[in-house]
Amino acid sequence: MALSARNRLTGTVTSVEKDDIMAEVVVELGGGQEITSTITRGSADRLDLREGDEVAAVIKASEVMIDSE
Amino acid sequence: MALSARNRLTGTVTSVEKDDIMAEVVVELGGGQEITSTITRGSADRLDLREGDEVAAVIKASEVMIDSE
Amino acid sequence: MALSARNRLTGTVTSVEKDDIMAEVVVELGGGQEITSTITRGSADRLDLREGDEVAAVIKASEVMIDSE
Amino acid sequence: MALSARNRLTGTVTSVEKDDIMAEVVVELGGGQEITSTITRGSADRLDLREGDEVAAVIKASEVMIDSE
Amino acid sequence: MALSARNRLTGTVTSVEKDDIMAEVVVELGGGQEITSTITRGSADRLDLREGDEVAAVIKASEVMIDSE
Amino acid sequence: MALSARNRLTGTVTSVEKDDIMAEVVVELGGGQEITSTITRGSADRLDLREGDEVAAVIKASEVMIDSE
């Protein structure tokens, strides 16, 4: 990968929901965890995202918080 | 959990590195994936983060991109 | 608090507006200032946010800009 | 203001700390609350930020989470 | 400019699309490049954004990734 | 491109500066505009970024503000 974003979590799309401008995508990661993403509807359409697709959730390290509770 | 952030990935801290202002924390998630976070050094000190700690990586859904490659 | 996010501004919800995917929440802070948040509708529903709720607006330090004008 | 960012919280700088690349700025808001920002050292130098400066903390609504605890 | 955000790319609005909560704005930069922004509908209305407006796209340095592919 | 991020601005790296944890990268875009990025030093090393490299600055649409001044 040539993208600087440090985080790339692979998984399977389990849900894609769209309204006019935004889309919400849920990805099931290994180990029983899942991650939810909001992207533009334009991007969801361009990538033609559908349930069952193998994708990566990509996250810049500066966007990740730690909860030590 | 009472926080709006949709994503909360649990794991184990495998590395904490600090400079004057920033800190970088690596968390091993289940299933062989890991996530890297940059937070302020002040927060890393306040939470007293150390290797081996059980933590959650918390990420707002709007910060998650999808790569369908 | 065990979350790394440095900023936690307490106040009272004065407005919650929802569409299919997103929600907009306005929080009145002390001292006559207010803060607006966009979260997913799913999170707004899960937290059952309503006008009058006492909440905190939580913001990672890396997301705060300074205007010295 | 002509900037789309919804949030503009005014206050007084109480601390500026710099390392080579990053700077951390603390702003005291009215009502006993404070907010911490990390910006580049280059921006802190360009704005010549110092304790006592009257500034605004500017935050895009998409970066604000809600904690209803 | 007195805002800490390092990036300010000037251009011309070529599209504004709104739904209930969000708006999507496309700005054509010089040199044949364009940039897409999602802001709140409230901000798009307040700024009265329209095709043909001369604007700047403002981006905090911490939000920019590098792809060296 | 298979990444959901809407914005991909191509240009030439004109500066790379590193400290222990962070790196600052400046990219000259066409049309006399430039963009500054802060990424982790780890990513800057992994991509082996140097002056003169042809790269893209990648930005999620939700991180872009509009200034209509």
Side-chain angles (χ1 to χ4, degrees), chain E residues 64-67, chain F residues 7-11 27 29 35 37 55-59:
Chain E
V64 180
M65 292 162 283
I66 301 292
D67 186 339
Chain F
N7 299 302
R8 203 178 156 79
L9 303 173
T10 55
V27 177
L29 308 173
I35 195 162
S37 162
V55 300
V58 176
I59 309 149

Side-chain angles (χ1 to χ4, degrees), chain F residues 27-64:
Chain F
V27 177
E28 187 172 331
L29 308 173
Q33 306 211 72
E34 69 176 31
I35 195 162
T36 299
S37 162
T38 53
I39 59 179
T40 58
R41 188 212 166 101
S43 287
D45 286 347
R46 176 169 54 84
L47 300 186
D48 191 24
L49 291 175
R50 294 160 191 265
E51 288 182 37
D53 287 357
E54 298 299 309
V55 300
V58 176
I59 309 149
K60 199 171 186 301
S62 55
E63 307 298 350
V64 180

Side-chain angles (χ1 to χ4, degrees), chain A residues 47-58:
Chain A
L47 300 186
D48 193 24
L49 291 175
R50 295 161 191 266
E51 288 182 37
D53 287 357
E54 299 297 312
V55 299
V58 177

Side-chain angles (χ1 to χ4, degrees), chain A residues 11-63:
Chain A
T12 306
V13 173
T14 57
S15 153
V16 179
E17 195 185 342
K18 298 174 184 177
D19 68 12
D20 286 352
I21 292 185
M22 300 300 292
E24 183 178 302
V25 181
V26 181
V27 177
E28 188 173 331
L29 308 173
Q33 305 211 71
E34 70 175 30
I35 194 162
T36 300
S37 162
T38 53
I39 59 178
T40 58
R41 187 212 167 102
S43 287
D45 286 346
R46 176 169 53 85
L47 300 186
D48 193 24
L49 291 175
R50 295 161 191 266
E51 288 182 37
D53 287 357
E54 299 297 312
V55 299
V58 177
I59 309 149
K60 199 171 185 302
S62 55
E63 305 300 348

Side-chain angles (χ1 to χ4, degrees), chain C residues 62-65, chain D residues 38-39, chain E residues 5 7 58-64, chain F residues 65:
Chain C
S62 54
E63 307 298 350
V64 180
M65 293 162 283
Chain D
T38 53
I39 59 179
Chain E
N7 299 303
V58 176
I59 309 149
K60 199 171 185 302
S62 54
E63 307 299 349
V64 180
Chain F
M65 293 162 282

Side-chain angles (χ1 to χ4, degrees), chain C:
Chain C
M1 184 185 46
L3 185 68
S4 63
R6 288 288 288 271
N7 299 302
R8 204 179 153 78
L9 303 173
T10 56
T12 306
V13 174
T14 57
S15 154
V16 180
E17 195 184 342
K18 299 174 185 177
D19 67 13
D20 286 351
I21 292 185
M22 300 300 293
E24 183 177 302
V25 181
V26 181
V27 177
E28 187 172 332
L29 308 172
Q33 305 210 73
E34 70 176 30
I35 195 162
T36 300
S37 162
T38 52
I39 59 179
T40 58
R41 189 213 166 100
S43 287
D45 286 347
R46 176 169 54 83
L47 301 187
D48 192 24
L49 291 175
R50 294 160 191 265
E51 287 183 38
D53 287 358
E54 299 298 310
V55 300
V58 176
I59 309 149
K60 198 169 186 305
S62 54
E63 307 298 350
V64 180
M65 293 162 283
I66 301 292
D67 187 338
S68 65
E69 203 160 19

